[in-house]
Amino acid sequence: MTRIQETFATLKQQNKKALIPYIMAGDPTPSVTVDLMHRLVAHGADVIEIGLPFSDPMADGQTIALAGERALNAGTSTTQAVQMVGEFRKTNSTTPVLLMGYLNPVEIIGYDKFLALCEQNGVDGLLLVDLPPNETDESLSAKLADKAINQIFLLAPTTEKDRRQAVLKHGSGFIYYVSVKGVTGSKALDTDEVARQVQAIKADTDLPICVGFGIRDGESAKAVAKFADGVIVGSELVRHFADVGDDKDKLELAIDKVLSKMDELRQAIDSL
C-alpha cells in the first residue's frame, strides 16, 4: 500500500475524515515551505497537497495563481519544490504528500527524471491538471505504480461519462472531486448537489472521494465531510500570504492565521 492508501485505510477504521491543506511550494519564500508543512501536520493535516509553481495555471483562480507568481519570483523551480518534500521527509516519514501541477515543467525535466526525483524525495501522489485520464500513457501509470506513487485525477460536475470512467480506471489513492463549476477559490458551493454527485461516484468505485474548491470555513468543511472521505482547502489558506512581502512580522501573522484556520477546519470535521 502507498502512504495515501494507508492513511485513508486508517482514517476509515477510526471513522474520521481527511483534512488536506494545499500550499504553494516557495510561497512567499522557499525558506518557509518545509517548516510550514510540519506545522500543518501539527494542526491536523492528514495529507498535504503541494502546488508546483507554474506561470499559466489554468485550473487556479487568482489567489493561487498569484501564489505561484510569488514562488516563481522568489526563485522556486519545480525541482526545488520536489526537493522540499525530501527535506520534509527527513523528520516525517508518515504524512502523505501530493504534488499538484501542470505538464509543461514535467515535460521540460523529462518524465523519467521527474518521476525519479519524486521517488527519491518521498512524493506519494501526483495530480497533473492538464493530463486527461484518457490520454494517460499506460507506461506512465505502470511507472508510478512501481514507485508507489498514486496518480490523482479531478472529477467535476461537468465531467462527461467517458472521462469519468477513465478517471475511475486510471486513478488511484483517491478521487479529487471539484465541488463547483469554476476555478480554485470559487465561492458558490451547493453542498446538496455535491453530496448527490459524490454518492453517485461512490456507487462506481471503492476509492475515497475528497472534495475541494469553494471550501473556506468550518461550516462548509463539516457539511462536505458528512458525505465525502476528505476535505481539501487551498485558497482560504494561501490568501494569507498575498501581502507578506519580506516583512517577517507579517509572515508570522500570516502563518498564525493559516494554522488558526486549520484548527477551525479540524475541529469542525471531527465534530461529526
Side-chain angles (χ1 to χ4, degrees):
M1 294 178 73
T2 66
R3 262 189 288 250
I4 290 175
Q5 292 168 325
E6 288 176 356
T7 294
F8 278 102
T10 299
L11 289 170
K12 186 175 183 179
Q13 290 177 348
Q14 298 172 343
N15 198 29
K16 294 180 66 176
K17 303 300 180 73
L19 174 56
I20 307 176
Y22 168 102
I23 58 172
M24 178 67 69
D27 177 40
T29 62
S31 62
V32 170
T33 304
V34 176
D35 181 64
L36 181 56
M37 291 171 71
H38 286 297
R39 295 173 80 170
L40 289 172
V41 173
H43 286 261
D46 296 297
V47 180
I48 299 176
E49 183 179 2
I50 298 293
L52 300 177
F54 181 54
S55 57
D56 300 289
M58 66 183 71
D60 295 312
Q62 185 179 34
T63 299
I64 289 179
L66 290 174
E69 287 185 16
R70 292 192 297 270
L72 290 171
N73 289 336
T76 308
S77 68
T78 298
T79 297
Q80 288 172 330
V82 179
Q83 289 171 339
M84 290 174 185
V85 182
E87 284 296 312
F88 174 75
R89 283 278 168 255
K90 289 180 179 179
T91 49
N92 184 314
S93 61
T94 57
T95 304
V97 178
L98 161 70
L99 299 181
M100 180 176 181
Y102 297 84
L103 268 177
N104 185 270
V106 175
E107 291 184 337
I108 290 172
I109 294 170
Y111 282 99
D112 288 343
K113 186 176 179 180
F114 177 75
L115 294 182
L117 184 69
C118 288
E119 182 181 31
Q120 291 163 8
N121 287 280
V123 171
D124 303 290
L126 188 60
L127 196 172
L128 295 173
V129 177
D130 48 352
L131 177 62
N134 56 337
E135 295 181 16
T136 296
D137 190 304
E138 291 293 345
S139 64
L140 173 61
S141 297
K143 289 176 182 177
L144 286 168
D146 286 343
K147 299 178 186 302
I149 298 175
N150 291 121
Q151 190 170 15
I152 314 296
F153 289 105
L154 299 172
L155 275 180
T158 54
T159 301
E160 298 286 344
K161 183 178 180 180
D162 289 349
R163 180 186 171 97
R164 175 169 150 175
Q165 290 176 339
V167 165
L168 299 182
K169 175 183 177 183
H170 294 288
S172 64
F174 68 90
I175 300 295
Y176 189 137
Y177 182 73
V178 177
S179 62
V180 296
K181 298 176 182 177
V183 294
T184 55
S186 298
K187 294 181 180 179
L189 179 63
D190 183 343
T191 53
D192 290 338
E193 175 59 24
V194 176
R196 285 191 289 272
Q197 294 280 358
V198 169
Q199 287 164 1
I201 298 167
K202 280 180 172 290
D204 294 331
T205 182
D206 292 328
L207 288 172
I209 312 296
C210 298
V211 176
F213 289 44
I215 299 168
R216 53 188 64 246
D217 54 24
E219 182 181 0
S220 55
K222 182 178 180 178
V224 168
K226 288 179 180 178
F227 52 81
D229 299 294
V231 174
I232 304 166
V233 181
S235 296
E236 184 59 29
L237 304 180
V238 171
R239 70 180 182 86
H240 294 293
F241 297 116
D243 301 314
V244 168
D246 296 325
D247 191 313
K248 291 183 179 180
D249 291 334
K250 285 185 177 180
L251 174 60
E252 280 305 315
L253 180 59
I255 291 173
D256 286 345
K257 289 179 178 179
V258 168
L259 299 179
S260 177
K261 178 60 66 173
M262 285 290 295
D263 292 341
E264 175 191 342
L265 296 165
R266 183 78 266 173
Q267 184 175 3
I269 294 170
D270 288 347
S271 68
L272 289 173

